[in-house]
Amino acid sequence: MQEIVNIFVKSIFIDNMIFAFFLGMCSYLAVSKTVKTSAGLGVAVTFVLLITVPVNWLLNKYFLAPGAMSWISPSLADVDLSFLSLIIFIAVIAAIVQIVEMTIERFSPTLYYALGIFLPLIAVNCAVMGGSLFMQERGYTSIGEVLAFALGSGLGWLLAIVGIAAIREKLRYSHIPPALQGVGITFIITGLMGLAFMSFMGIKL
Amino acid sequence: MASRNWKLITMPFNKENPITVQVLGICSCLAVTAQLKPALVMAISVTIVVALANVIISLLRKTIPPRIRIIVQLVVVSMLVVLVDQVLKAYLYDVSKQLSVFVGLIITNCIVMGRLEAFAMTNPPLPSLCDGIGNGLGYGIILVILGTLRELFGSGTLLSYPVMEKIGAYSIGYENNGLMIMPPMALILVGIIIWIQRRKS
C-alpha cells in the first residue's frame, strides 16, 4: 500500500510530466491561455491516461514482453514481441480516444461540448504516449501501481497546465518586451516553475 | 520548380522554424539536449521519419478517406519509428538507452503530424520530400544549438571531448554550470532563442 502511495506522490511532483520530462508541451503551450479551458484539457488527459496506461500494461504483460505469451502454451515462451509495442500502444491510444469520445458524446453531452475540440487531439499528445512508454520502461509489477502512476501523471499534468494558465492570465497586464511576448515568456516561466518543482527532488520516497 | 523545392528545404531553417516559430515538437527537443550526441542522433532520426512519412502519405493522399486519416498517418509514422528504433538499438545501443522513451515519442511529435496534415495531404511526393527534409533540419538546428550550449557550459565537454579542460579554463578558476544540464534550463534557453530570433525579424 505504501509503495502505491509513493508512486502516486512521486509521479505528481517529482517525475512531473511537464517539468521533469517536457511531455505534452505542444498542447500545454497552445491551450494554456485561460484557466477554464486548460482545466478541461487537463481532466481529459488524466482520464485518457487512466484508461490507456492500464490497458497497455495488460497488453505488455500478457502479449508483448519477452516470454509473456507462455500462458497460452509453453512453446511460446521464447517469443519476444516487444518491437511491436510502439505500434500497439499508439493504436490502443487512438482507438480508446475514439471510444471515449463517442461514449462521452452519448452519455454526457455537456461534458462532450466542454471538452469537444480537445478530445481528438489527445491521441497525439506526447504525455499520453509517454505514460505508456514510461510504464513499460519502469516495469511496474501490479495493477495498483500502474493505476497510481497513471492518475498521478495525469494530475501532475493538470497541475502544471492550470498553474501556467493562471500565470498567463495575469501576464496580460505586465510590460514584457514585444519580442518576448507570448511563447517566449511562457517558455521562461515554465522553466522557472520547473526550477521550483526541482525542490521536490530531494524527497526520498 | 527546382528553386521552389529549394525554398521548401531552406524556409524552415529560420523564417518558418518548426520549434521557434511554429512551436511544434517541443517535448523531445528539450529532453534530449543535455548532451550533443543524443541531440544529433535525435535530429537525424526525426529528419528521416518526417521526410519518409511525408513521401508515403503524399503518395497515398488520394486514397485515404478523410475520416480516418489520423489513424492512417499514425500507422505510417509508427512503422517508420519502429524501424528507426530497431536500427538505433542495433548500431548505437548506448545512445538509444540515453534517448529511452523519446525515440518512441517521435510518433507523437507534433512536427511529424503537423507536416503530414498541412503539407503532405495536399502536395505531390517530391515537394513533400523537400518539405520533410527542411522541417527535420530546421528542428535539428535548434537541437544542435541547445545541445552544444548545454554540454559545453554544463559539463565542459563537446561530444565527450573535454574542451574546457584543454583550453585550461579550470586552472583560472572556471566552474561548470550545473544548472545548464538540468531540465528547466532547456526551457529558458529556448525562450531566449525565440527572443533573439524575433528581435531580428
Side-chain angles (χ1 to χ4, degrees), chain B residues 5 20 27 33-35 48 56 59 61 73 86 89 94 99 107 109 111 113 116 122 125 145 147 165 182 192-193:
Chain B
N5 285 342
T20 58
C27 323
T33 52
Q35 281 173 326
I48 291 172
I56 295 174
L59 288 170
R61 71 186 186 282
Q73 290 165 0
Q86 297 294 316
K89 272 189 186 142
D94 54 326
L99 290 172
I107 297 174
N109 190 315
I111 296 176
M113 297 302 286
L116 295 180
T122 49
I145 295 176
E165 201 184 309
M182 298 288 186
I192 293 171
I193 291 176

Side-chain angles (χ1 to χ4, degrees), chain A residues 177-194:
Chain A
L180 199 57
Q181 270 168 14
V183 190
I185 193 73
T186 312
F187 269 106
I188 293 179
I189 288 179
T190 309
L192 295 178
M193 286 168 79

